[in-house]
Amino acid sequence: MNTPLARFESREDAAAQLAGALHAYRGQSPLVLAIPNGGVPLGRELADALAGDLDVALVSRLALPGNAAATIGAITEHGWTYLLDGPAGGQPDPADVAKEQVAKLDRLRQQCAIYTSHRPRPDPRGRIVILADDGLATGATMMAAIHMVRRQHPARVVCAVPAGLADGLAAVRPYADEIVCLRVAGLGPDISHLYHCFPEVGDAEVRMLLRHDAATAGAEGGRALADAMPVDIDCGGAVLHGVLDAPANPAGLVLMVQANGHGEHTVRNQYVARKLNASRLATLLVDLIAPREPMRKDKRQDVALLTGRLRKVMQAVPGLVLARLRLPAVPLACFGTGTAAAAALRVAGEAGNRLRSLVLAAGRPDLAGAESLRNVAIPTLLVIGAGDPEGIRVNDLAFAALHCPRQLRLVAGAGRVFEEPAAIEDLVALANGWLLQSIAGAEPGAA
């Protein structure tokens, strides 16, 4: 019999209660596959409590165009799609469904690179698999996850959620070997009201929660794995939050700077960082605008402010390298986007700076100023989307003003920030090749 409806304090509290209900699986080396992003904190606690392994089940909810809260189905990382029969928001147009599929599949591929490119993924074959999420509403994402894991021939599939809506649980029940749900709620739009504390979970937190299993796999398999470490950098009144990803014996460190102030690094930058890590380059992602900082919009355009903060970040790098990487020094490069690209150029044009290479992606190099552009001496790569005519214009002018080894490369695609999967892959290839050559001491070919 289900317990009386009550609120959980947090995902961690829910996981502790759920682990009690799953105690029979302790000692059987279960594989907990958590549905990101909210299911991963819960999955981490479950895996630890049951002495199992943790990985992510990369599936995503499909929403009704124009109504993000209305679920129409779910899609797996391999493109298999489950569509609800008679969704609450009405039957969507097939063209809208196709557009949503492309967008969510792109996001899943990026998540795969962010979460898993630095470690082997556990094989579910022959194992007890526990699919975990922080709640179940329509059951669409769980259905997609079941389909995905069944193709890998597990011994048993258990769906574990702290709370679920009755209709969604009924839809999933025929396809799972077992369902464990602590609270069965009535009809409603979601299950967040069943938690006192229900914060959003970002990609950086997911990576941190997966880190323990990555380190264990590395110890067993002899692989050098990247390790994500949060860092705080005091810039005189503003504390900037960064993430340091450090493979063993890195060939260099790439400062990846943006000026958004959203409190979360862009998926694009995280994806590029994971790919650079795989090439033995450490990365430090830093937003030069602190989250919830007053007048963020104005500060994004204040290149002098951003330049000063980038100097502070660079001053902190030797200490971070010594304390976190346990290395005396590593070659330093910078990957800048937007207005942060202008700040990177100004710093690169200053005497005595330690930068060896620049990559500026969808940047505003024109804001750096003519004098700074003339003074840059290090190899500089400008990358811009072919679908951004204004970006092409300002980057072309900056390219003409630079006198250093440089290249200007266009990436095919309709957007200006490399939204399409092929565009971001092209960006990764260009940045990776340029940085490796210049950090290693061999100048890339100048234009």
Side-chain angles (χ1 to χ4, degrees), residues 112-212:
C112 182
I114 293 167
Y115 302 155
T116 70
S117 66
H118 61 299
R119 61 187 178 87
R121 299 181 73 175
D123 187 356
R125 183 180 297 271
R127 299 184 66 175
I128 296 167
V129 172
I130 300 174
L131 291 169
D133 205 353
D134 53 11
L136 188 150
T138 65
T141 53
M142 189 62 76
M143 290 288 280
I146 292 172
H147 172 86
M148 183 171 64
V149 77
R150 286 287 190 198
R151 293 169 62 90
Q152 301 175 77
H153 308 292
R156 184 174 180 82
V157 176
V158 180
C159 297
V161 291
L165 304 184
D167 286 356
L169 291 167
V172 169
R173 188 165 284 111
Y175 301 95
D177 296 310
E178 182 181 358
I179 291 181
V180 178
C181 179
L182 305 179
R183 309 275 194 274
V184 179
L187 295 175
D190 58 40
I191 47 77
S192 62
H193 63 283
L194 296 177
Y195 291 82
H196 286 288
C197 180
F198 197 71
E200 290 188 12
V201 179
D203 288 334
E205 183 177 351
V206 172
R207 274 199 324 232
M208 291 291 293
L209 293 167
L210 293 170
R211 185 177 63 180
H212 171 74

XYZ file of all heavy atoms in Angstrom, residues 112-212:
762
model
N 25.919 14.036 -24.076
C 26.748 12.838 -24.127
C 28.225 13.222 -24.082
O 29.014 12.619 -23.349
C 26.431 12.038 -25.388
S 27.365 10.503 -25.542
N 28.614 14.240 -24.851
C 30.010 14.682 -24.855
C 30.395 15.306 -23.519
O 31.486 15.072 -23.002
C 30.238 15.667 -25.986
N 29.486 16.087 -22.939
C 29.782 16.761 -21.671
C 29.929 15.761 -20.530
O 30.833 15.847 -19.710
C 28.669 17.775 -21.340
C 28.683 18.930 -22.346
C 28.832 18.323 -19.924
C 27.442 19.791 -22.281
N 29.032 14.780 -20.478
C 28.997 13.863 -19.342
C 29.900 12.650 -19.489
O 30.378 12.111 -18.500
C 27.572 13.333 -19.125
C 26.512 14.373 -18.882
C 25.174 14.109 -19.190
C 26.804 15.624 -18.339
C 24.178 15.045 -18.977
C 25.821 16.565 -18.138
C 24.505 16.279 -18.459
O 23.512 17.201 -18.251
N 30.110 12.170 -20.728
C 30.681 10.833 -20.877
C 31.924 10.741 -21.735
O 32.509 9.662 -21.824
C 29.627 9.860 -21.474
O 29.396 10.197 -22.850
C 28.317 9.938 -20.722
N 32.373 11.828 -22.378
C 33.511 11.708 -23.297
C 34.808 11.374 -22.572
O 35.760 10.902 -23.185
C 33.688 13.011 -24.084
O 34.070 14.061 -23.227
N 34.875 11.587 -21.262
C 36.098 11.378 -20.500
C 36.135 10.040 -19.784
O 37.035 9.789 -18.993
C 36.241 12.505 -19.471
C 35.121 12.562 -18.471
N 33.816 12.773 -18.848
C 35.110 12.421 -17.127
C 33.044 12.777 -17.773
N 33.807 12.555 -16.730
N 35.159 9.154 -20.027
C 35.122 7.912 -19.261
C 34.387 6.832 -20.047
O 33.532 7.124 -20.883
C 34.398 8.141 -17.928
C 32.949 8.578 -18.110
C 32.297 8.958 -16.789
N 30.947 9.420 -17.003
C 29.882 8.620 -17.064
N 30.029 7.320 -16.912
N 28.681 9.106 -17.270
N 34.693 5.555 -19.761
C 33.925 4.485 -20.396
C 32.533 4.401 -19.784
O 32.353 4.669 -18.591
C 34.750 3.232 -20.063
C 35.495 3.582 -18.815
C 35.764 5.059 -18.885
N 31.550 4.043 -20.577
C 30.180 3.903 -20.067
C 29.938 2.453 -19.662
O 30.277 1.528 -20.394
C 29.169 4.358 -21.122
C 29.357 5.816 -21.507
C 28.350 6.278 -22.531
N 27.031 6.444 -21.957
C 25.986 6.937 -22.621
N 26.130 7.299 -23.894
N 24.819 7.065 -22.044
N 29.334 2.226 -18.502
C 29.082 0.855 -18.044
C 28.164 0.108 -19.009
O 27.250 0.689 -19.592
C 28.410 1.052 -16.685
C 28.750 2.446 -16.265
C 28.882 3.231 -17.529
N 28.388 -1.176 -19.145
C 27.585 -2.029 -20.017
C 26.433 -2.636 -19.214
O 26.669 -3.359 -18.244
C 28.467 -3.133 -20.600
C 27.748 -3.973 -21.648
O 26.545 -3.756 -21.876
O 28.397 -4.857 -22.229
N 25.171 -2.387 -19.599
C 24.038 -2.951 -18.853
C 23.815 -4.438 -19.082
O 23.007 -5.050 -18.364
C 22.835 -2.159 -19.398
C 23.412 -0.982 -20.119
C 24.735 -1.444 -20.626
N 24.496 -5.028 -20.041
C 24.238 -6.426 -20.408
C 24.371 -7.350 -19.195
O 25.392 -7.382 -18.515
C 25.200 -6.875 -21.495
C 24.948 -8.308 -22.003
C 25.953 -8.675 -23.082
N 25.796 -7.818 -24.244
C 24.982 -8.063 -25.259
N 24.238 -9.173 -25.247
N 24.895 -7.237 -26.271
N 23.300 -8.091 -18.924
C 23.313 -9.073 -17.853
C 23.241 -8.501 -16.445
O 23.340 -9.254 -15.468
N 23.031 -7.208 -16.309
C 23.021 -6.578 -14.983
C 21.611 -6.152 -14.579
O 20.729 -5.971 -15.423
C 23.936 -5.345 -14.965
C 25.380 -5.656 -15.259
C 26.261 -4.424 -15.131
N 26.338 -3.930 -13.751
C 27.113 -2.919 -13.370
N 27.858 -2.291 -14.263
N 27.127 -2.536 -12.111
N 21.421 -5.983 -13.295
C 20.204 -5.351 -12.785
C 20.332 -3.858 -13.032
O 21.276 -3.218 -12.566
C 20.015 -5.632 -11.287
C 19.799 -7.129 -11.050
C 18.846 -4.819 -10.735
C 19.908 -7.530 -9.604
N 19.411 -3.293 -13.785
C 19.447 -1.871 -14.112
C 18.295 -1.180 -13.393
O 17.133 -1.591 -13.508
C 19.339 -1.645 -15.629
C 19.190 -0.157 -15.937
C 20.568 -2.208 -16.336
N 18.632 -0.140 -12.645
C 17.634 0.672 -11.958
C 17.548 2.013 -12.665
O 18.500 2.800 -12.646
C 17.993 0.865 -10.474
C 18.063 -0.496 -9.764
C 16.976 1.782 -9.790
C 18.551 -0.415 -8.323
N 16.441 2.269 -13.353
C 16.209 3.551 -14.015
C 15.613 4.510 -12.990
O 14.540 4.254 -12.447
C 15.265 3.364 -15.196
C 15.833 2.574 -16.384
C 14.727 2.216 -17.374
C 16.931 3.353 -17.087
N 16.319 5.593 -12.732
C 15.932 6.499 -11.648
C 15.644 7.895 -12.163
O 16.368 8.417 -13.015
C 17.042 6.556 -10.595
N 14.594 8.492 -11.624
C 14.275 9.895 -11.902
C 13.673 10.485 -10.642
O 13.262 9.758 -9.723
C 13.317 10.006 -13.086
C 13.418 11.359 -13.797
O 14.133 12.242 -13.285
O 12.786 11.521 -14.850
N 13.626 11.828 -10.585
C 13.091 12.461 -9.379
C 11.570 12.503 -9.364
O 10.965 12.964 -8.394
C 13.672 13.870 -9.185
C 13.510 14.746 -10.419
O 12.778 14.359 -11.347
O 14.135 15.825 -10.459
N 10.943 12.014 -10.420
C 9.491 11.920 -10.455
C 9.025 11.428 -11.805
O 9.801 11.383 -12.766
N 7.780 11.035 -11.876
C 7.226 10.510 -13.114
C 5.848 11.122 -13.317
O 4.973 10.978 -12.463
C 7.145 8.976 -13.038
C 6.767 8.212 -14.300
C 7.427 6.829 -14.299
C 5.255 8.054 -14.419
N 5.674 11.839 -14.432
C 4.392 12.486 -14.717
C 3.652 11.705 -15.801
O 2.828 10.841 -15.514
C 4.619 13.940 -15.123
N 3.964 11.952 -17.052
C 3.302 11.216 -18.133
C 3.910 9.836 -18.346
O 3.276 8.956 -18.936
C 3.426 11.988 -19.463
O 4.802 12.046 -19.851
C 2.855 13.394 -19.328
N 5.149 9.643 -17.904
C 5.855 8.387 -18.133
C 6.618 8.347 -19.439
O 7.274 7.337 -19.747
N 6.595 9.418 -20.224
C 7.207 9.403 -21.546
C 8.715 9.188 -21.480
O 9.268 8.355 -22.217
C 6.882 10.690 -22.289
N 9.424 9.940 -20.633
C 10.878 9.791 -20.575
C 11.263 8.412 -20.045
O 12.246 7.814 -20.501
C 11.531 10.887 -19.714
O 10.904 10.921 -18.430
C 11.406 12.244 -20.371
N 10.496 7.898 -19.092
C 10.799 6.564 -18.575
C 10.566 5.503 -19.646
O 11.328 4.537 -19.762
C 9.957 6.278 -17.337
C 10.354 5.012 -16.593
S 12.049 5.049 -15.941
C 11.849 6.134 -14.517
N 9.533 5.665 -20.456
C 9.282 4.721 -21.543
C 10.446 4.717 -22.534
O 10.889 3.661 -23.006
C 7.978 5.072 -22.249
C 6.740 4.801 -21.419
S 6.385 3.047 -21.230
C 5.604 2.702 -22.802
N 10.951 5.905 -22.856
C 12.089 5.993 -23.768
C 13.326 5.336 -23.153
O 14.076 4.628 -23.836
C 12.372 7.453 -24.112
N 13.524 5.549 -21.860
C 14.674 4.958 -21.178
C 14.574 3.428 -21.145
O 15.572 2.724 -21.339
C 14.783 5.507 -19.766
N 13.377 2.916 -20.910
C 13.187 1.463 -20.903
C 13.517 0.875 -22.272
O 14.212 -0.134 -22.385
C 11.738 1.112 -20.497
C 11.490 1.458 -19.029
C 11.455 -0.369 -20.743
C 10.040 1.329 -18.610
N 13.010 1.514 -23.314
C 13.293 1.028 -24.669
C 14.802 1.005 -24.925
O 15.333 0.026 -25.468
C 12.615 1.923 -25.704
C 13.003 1.605 -27.119
N 12.367 0.643 -27.867
C 13.997 2.106 -27.905
C 12.946 0.562 -29.058
N 13.923 1.447 -29.115
N 15.479 2.063 -24.532
C 16.911 2.170 -24.795
C 17.686 1.081 -24.070
O 18.573 0.440 -24.652
C 17.408 3.556 -24.382
C 18.873 3.812 -24.679
S 19.322 5.552 -24.415
C 19.027 5.680 -22.644
N 17.364 0.848 -22.791
C 18.145 -0.114 -22.016
C 17.788 -1.552 -22.376
O 18.635 -2.452 -22.322
C 17.984 0.162 -20.502
C 16.652 -0.339 -19.971
C 19.133 -0.458 -19.711
N 16.558 -1.805 -22.781
C 16.168 -3.166 -23.173
C 16.991 -3.653 -24.365
O 17.294 -4.844 -24.470
C 14.682 -3.197 -23.538
C 13.717 -3.122 -22.381
C 13.671 -4.407 -21.600
N 12.568 -4.411 -20.634
C 12.492 -5.225 -19.600
N 13.471 -6.105 -19.381
N 11.470 -5.171 -18.774
N 17.375 -2.751 -25.233
C 18.167 -3.114 -26.415
C 19.574 -3.587 -26.028
O 20.280 -4.160 -26.854
C 18.261 -1.927 -27.365
C 16.930 -1.550 -28.001
C 17.018 -0.216 -28.725
N 17.961 -0.255 -29.813
C 17.662 -0.597 -31.071
N 16.420 -0.939 -31.373
N 18.575 -0.590 -32.014
N 19.968 -3.323 -24.768
C 21.300 -3.718 -24.303
C 21.260 -4.963 -23.416
O 22.238 -5.300 -22.768
C 21.955 -2.540 -23.570
C 22.088 -1.314 -24.474
C 22.632 -0.114 -23.725
O 23.834 -0.022 -23.462
N 21.760 0.817 -23.378
N 20.112 -5.625 -23.369
C 19.941 -6.941 -22.749
C 20.318 -6.991 -21.265
O 21.176 -7.790 -20.857
C 20.738 -7.993 -23.534
C 20.449 -7.982 -25.005
N 19.231 -8.369 -25.538
C 21.220 -7.596 -26.067
C 19.262 -8.240 -26.841
N 20.443 -7.767 -27.195
N 19.691 -6.168 -20.445
C 19.922 -6.264 -18.998
C 19.241 -7.508 -18.425
O 18.341 -8.084 -19.058
C 19.276 -4.990 -18.459
C 18.159 -4.730 -19.426
C 18.682 -5.145 -20.779
N 19.638 -7.919 -17.221
C 18.983 -9.052 -16.566
C 17.617 -8.655 -16.023
O 16.683 -9.463 -16.002
C 19.869 -9.580 -15.437
N 17.488 -7.406 -15.582
C 16.239 -6.944 -14.970
C 16.181 -5.428 -15.072
O 17.207 -4.748 -14.932
C 16.172 -7.379 -13.505
C 14.861 -7.045 -12.768
C 14.868 -7.669 -11.381
N 13.647 -7.381 -10.641
C 12.499 -8.045 -10.782
N 12.425 -9.039 -11.669
N 11.432 -7.739 -10.072
N 15.003 -4.876 -15.318
C 14.813 -3.434 -15.394
C 13.849 -3.001 -14.294
O 12.689 -3.438 -14.260
C 14.262 -2.996 -16.767
C 13.978 -1.491 -16.770
C 15.255 -3.341 -17.867
N 14.372 -2.157 -13.410
C 13.583 -1.637 -12.293
C 13.429 -0.130 -12.488
O 14.418 0.577 -12.667
C 14.268 -1.918 -10.939
C 13.428 -1.375 -9.787
C 14.534 -3.401 -10.771
N 12.199 0.368 -12.459
C 11.952 1.811 -12.519
C 11.757 2.313 -11.097
O 10.870 1.819 -10.385
C 10.718 2.110 -13.363
S 10.893 1.606 -15.075
N 12.571 3.281 -10.690
C 12.529 3.772 -9.308
C 12.325 5.276 -9.296
O 13.153 6.022 -9.824
C 13.823 3.410 -8.593
N 11.227 5.713 -8.706
C 10.932 7.143 -8.578
C 10.347 7.401 -7.191
O 9.601 6.574 -6.662
C 9.940 7.633 -9.666
C 10.573 7.620 -11.032
C 8.670 6.796 -9.658
N 10.681 8.529 -6.580
C 10.072 8.845 -5.287
C 8.571 9.106 -5.401
O 7.813 8.772 -4.494
C 10.819 10.111 -4.844
C 12.041 10.158 -5.683
C 11.679 9.527 -6.983
N 8.154 9.736 -6.518
C 6.744 10.117 -6.674
C 6.347 10.004 -8.127
O 7.166 10.200 -9.028
C 6.527 11.550 -6.174
N 5.094 9.692 -8.352
C 4.613 9.586 -9.719
C 3.127 9.809 -9.809
O 2.388 9.610 -8.830
N 2.674 10.238 -10.967
C 1.246 10.395 -11.220
C 0.669 9.038 -11.638
O 1.312 8.257 -12.344
C 1.007 11.437 -12.293
C 1.600 12.837 -12.037
C 1.194 13.796 -13.145
C 1.173 13.376 -10.683
N -0.537 8.784 -11.216
C -1.133 7.466 -11.399
C -1.189 7.054 -12.867
O -0.871 5.910 -13.211
C -2.526 7.440 -10.772
N -1.583 7.955 -13.744
C -1.705 7.608 -15.161
C -0.358 7.259 -15.773
O -0.239 6.326 -16.582
C -2.346 8.762 -15.932
C -3.839 8.883 -15.657
O -4.371 8.024 -14.933
O -4.461 9.839 -16.167
N 0.685 8.014 -15.425
C 2.013 7.739 -15.952
C 2.548 6.400 -15.471
O 3.147 5.637 -16.245
N 2.335 6.090 -14.208
C 2.774 4.808 -13.670
C 2.058 3.653 -14.358
O 2.662 2.610 -14.658
C 2.526 4.759 -12.159
C 3.407 5.692 -11.305
C 2.847 5.794 -9.896
C 4.841 5.187 -11.270
N 0.764 3.829 -14.610
C -0.003 2.781 -15.289
C 0.523 2.528 -16.693
O 0.553 1.384 -17.166
C -1.483 3.169 -15.328
N 0.965 3.603 -17.384
C 1.490 3.448 -18.744
C 2.810 2.695 -18.758
O 3.088 1.896 -19.663
C 1.657 4.823 -19.387
N 3.637 2.907 -17.756
C 4.966 2.310 -17.715
C 4.943 0.867 -17.211
O 5.745 0.032 -17.647
C 5.896 3.170 -16.822
C 7.212 2.460 -16.535
C 6.161 4.521 -17.474
N 4.006 0.555 -16.315
C 4.016 -0.722 -15.595
C 4.180 -1.959 -16.490
O 4.954 -2.860 -16.157
C 2.765 -0.839 -14.730
C 2.772 -2.049 -13.794
C 1.719 -1.942 -12.721
N 2.131 -0.994 -11.681
C 1.554 0.186 -11.488
N 0.567 0.581 -12.269
N 1.972 0.975 -10.514
N 3.509 -2.068 -17.644
C 3.654 -3.298 -18.443
C 5.045 -3.509 -19.033
O 5.363 -4.630 -19.465
C 2.627 -3.094 -19.574
C 1.673 -2.073 -19.069
C 2.495 -1.169 -18.209
N 5.897 -2.476 -19.053
C 7.169 -2.559 -19.753
C 8.363 -2.709 -18.815
O 9.488 -2.916 -19.271
C 7.352 -1.326 -20.631
C 6.239 -1.195 -21.637
C 5.124 -0.394 -21.380
C 6.266 -1.909 -22.835
C 4.082 -0.280 -22.292
C 5.231 -1.814 -23.746
C 4.141 -0.999 -23.464
O 3.114 -0.913 -24.374
N 8.152 -2.613 -17.511
C 9.231 -2.751 -16.534
C 9.055 -4.056 -15.773
O 7.943 -4.554 -15.598
C 9.223 -1.568 -15.574
N 10.169 -4.619 -15.315
C 10.079 -5.811 -14.471
C 9.569 -5.463 -13.080
O 8.952 -6.299 -12.410
C 11.455 -6.476 -14.364
C 11.949 -6.992 -15.707
O 11.188 -7.698 -16.388
O 13.093 -6.660 -16.085
N 9.833 -4.226 -12.656
C 9.392 -3.787 -11.330
C 9.324 -2.264 -11.309
O 10.161 -1.599 -11.926
C 10.372 -4.275 -10.257
C 9.998 -3.912 -8.843
C 11.012 -4.384 -7.807
O 12.000 -5.037 -8.206
O 10.825 -4.094 -6.618
N 8.339 -1.733 -10.612
C 8.254 -0.293 -10.379
C 8.254 -0.062 -8.877
O 7.473 -0.683 -8.142
C 6.991 0.326 -11.001
C 7.083 0.313 -12.526
C 6.803 1.770 -10.520
C 5.886 0.939 -13.221
N 9.138 0.798 -8.423
C 9.174 1.213 -7.023
C 8.863 2.696 -6.974
O 9.620 3.513 -7.508
C 10.543 0.910 -6.382
C 10.565 1.402 -4.943
C 10.854 -0.577 -6.443
N 7.734 3.048 -6.378
C 7.292 4.446 -6.267
C 6.765 4.661 -4.858
O 5.872 3.932 -4.407
C 6.211 4.746 -7.312
S 5.577 6.436 -7.243
N 7.295 5.645 -4.163
C 6.937 5.882 -2.767
C 5.668 6.691 -2.589
O 4.974 6.560 -1.586
C 8.089 6.593 -2.048
C 9.454 5.910 -2.109
C 10.484 6.754 -1.372
C 9.385 4.501 -1.528
N 5.374 7.578 -3.534
C 4.196 8.434 -3.430
C 3.454 8.396 -4.761
O 4.030 8.733 -5.804
C 4.574 9.899 -3.148
C 5.521 10.099 -1.967
C 4.768 10.179 -0.658
N 5.633 10.697 0.374
C 6.469 9.954 1.116
N 6.577 8.658 0.873
N 7.204 10.507 2.057
N 2.209 7.998 -4.745
C 1.379 8.041 -5.944
C 0.469 9.255 -5.830
O -0.396 9.325 -4.954
C 0.547 6.760 -6.126
C -0.320 6.878 -7.376
C 1.463 5.551 -6.225
N 0.703 10.224 -6.707
C -0.054 11.473 -6.656
C -1.223 11.409 -7.625
O -1.285 10.549 -8.510
C 0.860 12.646 -7.006
N -2.134 12.345 -7.477
C -3.248 12.451 -8.397
C -2.822 13.157 -9.667
O -1.642 13.371 -9.922
N -3.782 13.522 -10.474
C -3.477 14.208 -11.722
C -2.897 15.590 -11.435
O -3.301 16.268 -10.496
C -4.739 14.324 -12.575
C -5.321 12.999 -13.072
C -6.629 13.249 -13.804
C -4.343 12.273 -13.979
N -1.978 16.030 -12.253
C -1.366 17.344 -12.086
C -0.331 17.559 -13.159
O 0.059 16.624 -13.850
N 0.151 18.785 -13.326
C 1.093 19.090 -14.405
C 2.477 18.520 -14.190
O 3.180 18.205 -15.138
C 1.114 20.621 -14.430
C 0.730 21.021 -13.039
C -0.241 19.985 -12.570
N 2.923 18.403 -12.942
C 4.253 17.867 -12.656
C 4.302 17.394 -11.215
O 3.285 17.388 -10.520
C 5.351 18.909 -12.931
C 5.153 20.173 -12.105
O 4.780 20.062 -10.922
O 5.376 21.266 -12.644
N 5.489 17.009 -10.759
C 5.612 16.478 -9.395
C 6.476 17.380 -8.497
O 6.791 17.014 -7.388
C 6.192 15.043 -9.428
C 7.421 14.935 -10.350
C 5.154 14.044 -9.871
C 8.693 15.461 -9.817
N 6.866 18.551 -8.977
C 7.747 19.414 -8.186
C 7.098 19.857 -6.885
O 7.796 20.127 -5.901
C 8.169 20.637 -9.002
O 7.051 21.421 -9.352
N 5.749 19.894 -6.834
C 5.069 20.320 -5.613
C 5.202 19.298 -4.486
O 4.829 19.569 -3.350
C 3.580 20.564 -5.905
C 2.841 19.351 -6.353
N 2.956 18.852 -7.625
C 1.986 18.521 -5.693
C 2.197 17.764 -7.746
N 1.606 17.546 -6.589
N 5.759 18.130 -4.798
C 5.950 17.107 -3.777
C 7.296 17.248 -3.062
O 7.641 16.414 -2.226
C 5.844 15.717 -4.407
C 4.474 15.371 -5.002
C 4.503 14.010 -5.662
C 3.392 15.417 -3.925
N 8.045 18.300 -3.375
C 9.337 18.559 -2.739
C 9.314 19.940 -2.085
O 8.827 20.905 -2.671
C 10.469 18.531 -3.769
C 10.777 17.176 -4.352
C 10.025 16.659 -5.405
C 11.844 16.418 -3.872
C 10.328 15.421 -5.956
C 12.153 15.178 -4.430
C 11.388 14.688 -5.457
O 11.684 13.466 -6.006
N 9.881 20.016 -0.883
C 10.069 21.338 -0.260
C 11.172 22.105 -0.994
O 11.062 23.310 -1.221
C 10.452 21.180 1.222
C 9.319 20.764 2.097
N 8.284 21.609 2.430
C 9.052 19.579 2.705
C 7.430 20.972 3.212
N 7.870 19.738 3.397
N 12.244 21.418 -1.322
C 13.397 22.033 -2.010
C 13.607 21.296 -3.325
O 13.905 20.093 -3.327
C 14.638 21.942 -1.121
S 16.120 22.666 -1.852
N 13.428 22.007 -4.446
C 13.486 21.355 -5.760
C 14.223 22.261 -6.740
O 13.666 22.762 -7.705
C 12.064 21.072 -6.246
C 11.971 20.073 -7.371
C 12.225 18.732 -7.146
C 11.601 20.476 -8.646
C 12.120 17.802 -8.175
C 11.501 19.559 -9.685
C 11.760 18.219 -9.447
N 15.542 22.484 -6.506
C 16.298 23.400 -7.381
C 16.578 22.783 -8.733
O 16.573 21.556 -8.896
C 17.595 23.614 -6.599
C 17.771 22.350 -5.826
C 16.385 21.905 -5.448
N 16.846 23.650 -9.718
C 17.294 23.165 -11.011
C 18.688 22.563 -10.880
O 19.478 22.977 -10.045
C 17.313 24.308 -12.030
C 15.929 24.809 -12.427
C 15.985 25.798 -13.577
O 17.062 25.907 -14.198
O 14.962 26.443 -13.847
N 18.967 21.593 -11.723
C 20.260 20.907 -11.705
C 20.970 21.203 -13.020
O 20.462 20.887 -14.098
C 20.085 19.388 -11.528
C 21.442 18.683 -11.534
C 19.329 19.095 -10.230
N 22.136 21.829 -12.948
C 22.881 22.201 -14.146
C 23.825 21.107 -14.618
O 24.078 20.123 -13.916
N 24.368 21.289 -15.806
C 25.288 20.306 -16.377
C 26.547 20.147 -15.533
O 27.092 19.045 -15.412
C 25.678 20.710 -17.802
C 24.539 20.521 -18.794
O 23.678 19.663 -18.540
O 24.516 21.232 -19.816
N 27.034 21.243 -14.958
C 28.247 21.157 -14.140
C 28.015 20.262 -12.928
O 28.887 19.472 -12.543
C 28.679 22.561 -13.697
N 26.833 20.366 -12.307
C 26.522 19.516 -11.156
C 26.427 18.050 -11.573
O 26.890 17.157 -10.857
C 25.223 19.966 -10.495
C 24.877 19.170 -9.243
C 23.623 19.651 -8.542
O 23.106 20.718 -8.919
O 23.156 18.943 -7.631
N 25.822 17.790 -12.729
C 25.734 16.411 -13.217
C 27.125 15.824 -13.389
O 27.410 14.694 -12.970
C 24.950 16.350 -14.545
C 25.035 14.954 -15.158
C 23.488 16.718 -14.314
N 28.032 16.572 -14.003
C 29.406 16.098 -14.188
C 30.070 15.783 -12.861
O 30.761 14.779 -12.707
C 30.238 17.153 -14.928
C 30.130 17.071 -16.415
C 31.301 17.788 -17.085
N 31.722 18.970 -16.378
C 31.867 20.165 -16.915
N 31.574 20.343 -18.176
N 32.282 21.181 -16.219
N 29.861 16.650 -11.864
C 30.456 16.434 -10.555
C 29.922 15.152 -9.917
O 30.672 14.385 -9.303
C 30.157 17.636 -9.649
C 30.867 18.911 -10.044
S 32.654 18.816 -9.776
C 32.705 18.738 -7.988
N 28.622 14.908 -10.062
C 28.020 13.722 -9.459
C 28.478 12.441 -10.145
O 28.537 11.379 -9.516
C 26.492 13.838 -9.510
C 25.900 14.940 -8.628
C 24.440 15.185 -8.976
C 26.046 14.581 -7.160
N 28.814 12.524 -11.428
C 29.317 11.363 -12.149
C 30.809 11.144 -11.923
O 31.352 10.106 -12.300
C 29.065 11.526 -13.650
C 27.605 11.504 -14.109
C 27.511 11.919 -15.566
C 26.996 10.124 -13.908
N 31.472 12.101 -11.321
C 32.928 12.087 -11.221
C 33.444 10.882 -10.441
O 34.437 10.270 -10.814
C 33.420 13.366 -10.541
C 34.939 13.490 -10.494
C 35.355 14.800 -9.868
N 34.926 14.879 -8.483
C 35.159 15.921 -7.708
N 35.773 16.978 -8.200
N 34.759 15.937 -6.454
N 32.759 10.511 -9.368
C 33.234 9.400 -8.528
C 33.345 8.119 -9.348
O 34.345 7.407 -9.284
C 32.287 9.184 -7.347
C 32.571 7.935 -6.564
N 33.643 7.826 -5.717
C 31.936 6.731 -6.534
C 33.651 6.618 -5.177
N 32.625 5.932 -5.648
